[in-house]
Amino acid sequence: MDEDRAPQTVWKPAKRLRALKPVWQAAHDGRADAGALASLLDSGSGLVLRAAFDRVRAFDADTGEQRWAWEVPGRDVLSAVADEATGGVVLLAHWPDTSEGPEKAGVTALDTASGKGLWSARLNLSGLSHHDSGLRVGTVALSGECALVTTGEKVVAHDARTGRHMWSVPHEEDHGVRIAAGGGRLVVVTENSDTTTVLTVALADGAVLWKKPLPVDGPVGAVGLLGADPLLLAVEGEGRRGPHRLLRLDEDGGTAVEIPMTGGHGTIRTAPWGVNDGRRRFTAVGDTLLAFVEPSPEETLVRPAGFSLSTGRHLWTSDHWGIVALAPHRGHVVMVRHYDESFSSQAYVLDAATGREVARRSIRRTGSDEPYTLHVHGRRLLWVSTSSTAATAPVKAYDWR
């Protein structure tokens, strides 16, 4: 199981008659139910984190014991969380739950193992659009030793563990600016006056690598930044004649791969119903990009599909619908199909390159339980629930047998 691509034998047998039962269920803390807004797995410390609007709790992946809890300070609410825990650090932003709250925003770095604050800074994030009670994506990012925060005017880089200011880079003024980091670079996407600009910056010193307009023809309604390594964008054109496609940009900002949103594969859905964890709506596994497609106007049940990141070619579409949570794992993807009316869900393991089903299991659960997201830790599946109540565990674990 140490290889980048694990052999399919680790998932055998292909099917099992008995449903998987939880090996542990984390305890509800007795407070008012708070829906999950984010969840991270820190493999180094063996902890799974579940974030709600007012707190972050960390559970031991081996036992389910709560190792620490961090309370969002004062009357602040959680407003952003970096997509990954990197180098034993989790980065998040928070602000008072008022109309003027973003003007007094805080950015805090936590030590993943202990939950103790490493550093905190106050920033004015009022230049960023945010209109709902969820998290604002693309505000903070972690990569290597860099903790990155964007405002409406610039991106500021701090040392992830000390908070020391490293560098800052200005960007075009935009209330919807988004950032992502990976592969030694920061990516900044801004939209202004019907023009979308992509800026890349070296994480080592803040030097601008390149800055270019989005390489598409036609009016653009919105651009989603899906990742920095590889650099993936979701372009939603304005009007029926506008460009609707996924783009992978090369090292110089040119178009390396272009995947139409609608084609022989059906229609790619950027916000598929039921997939609560926004990070998993598009997932890169090796050379395969996993997305969710509606196969045809007559066949509207959304299903996972694979596309080649090197050619853009549609590789496969799964027969499985009703997928609400998934996690990549060493060349494979584990998916959970959820039924509200049943007391069991189905877990499937697919080969990401071919879409072939390698194994499946039934998962025992309570009727009110719904997954927010899924993590894989060794042979253990970590189910993070959307809610936490006396009847619904915030996190639970299943061993793959």
Side-chain angles (χ1 to χ4, degrees):
M1 294 288 285
D2 294 330
E3 299 84 5
D4 290 338
R5 181 176 177 82
Q8 294 184 359
T9 53
V10 303
W11 302 105
K12 301 300 182 183
K15 297 180 182 179
R16 188 173 185 267
L17 294 178
R18 293 185 178 180
L20 301 181
K21 298 179 181 179
V23 295
W24 57 254
Q25 299 187 67
H28 175 58
D29 61 4
R31 296 166 58 174
D33 175 37
L37 293 180
S39 178
L40 307 174
L41 173 66
D42 182 48
S43 297
S45 61
L47 297 180
V48 57
L49 279 57
R50 181 183 185 275
F53 79 94
D54 60 347
R55 59 194 183 273
V56 179
R57 303 175 70 195
F59 304 94
D60 190 303
D62 290 331
T63 66
E65 177 186 0
Q66 179 176 302
R67 292 267 291 271
W68 54 262
W70 180 80
E71 302 285 336
V72 179
R75 293 189 174 275
D76 282 10
V77 294
L78 205 61
S79 56
V81 178
D83 284 348
E84 304 290 342
T86 303
V89 177
V90 58
L91 183 68
L92 44 86
H94 46 90
W95 57 50
D97 196 13
T98 65
S99 60
E100 298 179 352
E103 296 179 10
K104 304 174 182 178
V107 176
T108 298
L110 303 178
D111 178 78
T112 311
S114 66
K116 296 187 181 299
L118 296 171
W119 55 271
S120 187
R122 282 287 171 183
L123 291 173
N124 183 348
L125 300 183
S126 61
L128 303 178
S129 300
H130 189 70
H131 304 294
D132 57 44
S133 59
L135 300 184
R136 187 188 182 281
V137 298
T139 300
V140 295
L142 272 172
S143 185
E145 299 178 352
C146 285
L148 303 138
V149 185
T150 183
T151 70
E153 301 174 346
K154 61 183 178 181
V155 180
V156 182
H158 299 266
D159 182 278
R161 296 203 68 88
T162 69
R164 175 181 58 87
H165 181 271
M166 297 174 64
W167 48 263
S168 63
V169 59
H171 58 72
E172 297 180 12
E173 185 176 353
D174 174 24
H175 290 274
V177 61
R178 298 288 189 270
I179 66 171
R185 66 183 174 185
L186 162 74
V187 178
V188 186
V189 175
T190 53
E191 301 173 57
N192 197 322
S193 301
D194 299 324
T195 300
T196 298
T197 301
V198 183
L199 167 70
T200 65
V201 177
L203 291 178
D205 56 9
V208 173
L209 299 174
W210 52 263
K211 179 181 179 181
K212 295 183 177 180
L214 188 70
V216 299
D217 294 325
V220 174
V223 177
L225 176 56
L226 307 181
D229 184 29
L231 203 172
L232 294 171
L233 303 169
V235 180
E236 297 184 33
E238 186 174 356
R240 287 176 289 179
R241 299 294 295 273
H244 299 269
R245 62 197 65 166
L246 300 178
L247 297 179
R248 181 172 74 81
L249 303 188
D250 61 24
E251 294 301 312
D252 299 317
T255 300
V257 171
E258 187 172 301
I259 303 172
M261 290 289 193
T262 300
H265 52 267
T267 300
I268 297 173
R269 294 303 181 197
T270 57
W273 180 88
V275 182
N276 294 308
D277 187 349
R279 299 168 303 168
R280 297 292 179 240
R281 293 168 183 172
F282 294 92
T283 304
V285 185
D287 185 55
T288 303
L289 176 67
L290 271 69
F292 284 85
V293 302
E294 184 179 291
S296 71
E298 296 77 27
E299 194 176 1
T300 58
L301 293 174
V302 176
R303 302 173 183 186
F307 298 85
S308 170
L309 281 168
S310 57
T311 67
R313 184 168 62 90
H314 173 234
L315 301 173
W316 53 266
T317 296
S318 172
D319 291 334
H320 303 306
W321 53 271
I323 303 301
V324 296
L326 67 155
H329 187 64
R330 295 176 181 171
H332 297 80
V333 58
V334 185
M335 308 184 304
V336 171
R337 185 181 180 194
H338 182 74
Y339 304 89
D340 287 337
E341 69 275 7
S342 172
F343 285 92
S344 67
S345 295
Q346 297 292 320
Y348 303 95
V349 179
L350 303 187
D351 184 312
T354 65
R356 186 175 70 86
E357 182 182 303
V358 174
R360 70 167 66 184
R361 299 289 188 274
S362 292
I363 294 182
R364 184 74 58 83
R365 64 176 180 82
T366 62
S368 60
D369 202 358
E370 179 183 346
Y372 167 78
T373 198
L374 185 73
H375 302 290
V376 183
H377 185 60
R379 295 183 65 86
R380 178 158 289 180
L381 307 185
L382 298 167
W383 169 304
V384 180
S385 300
T386 56
S387 61
S388 175
T389 68
T392 303
V395 183
K396 54 188 175 179
Y398 300 87
D399 280 347
W400 191 269
R401 303 178 186 277

